[in-house]
Amino acid sequence: MAAVEPGDHVIAEWPSYTPLYEIPRTLGAEVEYWELLESLRLLGEALAEFDR
């Protein structure tokens, strides 16, 4: 809770434990989901989709 501020961009693994994405949303962050797939790609490749 100390690291997230209103307007922050948070990437949350989906599906996951609900508080991991609901707490940042409650604090005013924009939450985007990183959906786990059966065929996982390299982490850097997958996270590049969320680059801003």
Side-chain angles (χ1 to χ4, degrees):
M1 288 177 65
V4 178
E5 297 179 358
D8 282 352
H9 179 230
V10 174
I11 300 169
E13 198 174 89
W14 177 264
S16 68
Y17 185 58
T18 305
L20 295 178
Y21 52 85
E22 285 301 329
I23 290 174
R25 183 188 325 280
T26 301
L27 295 172
E30 175 191 346
V31 178
E32 197 167 351
Y33 298 105
W34 175 27
E35 190 170 350
L36 294 178
L37 305 173
E38 288 183 28
S39 58
L40 291 177
R41 294 172 283 165
L42 296 174
L43 179 60
E45 211 177 288
L47 290 178
E49 296 174 16
F50 299 101
D51 191 23
R52 290 189 178 187

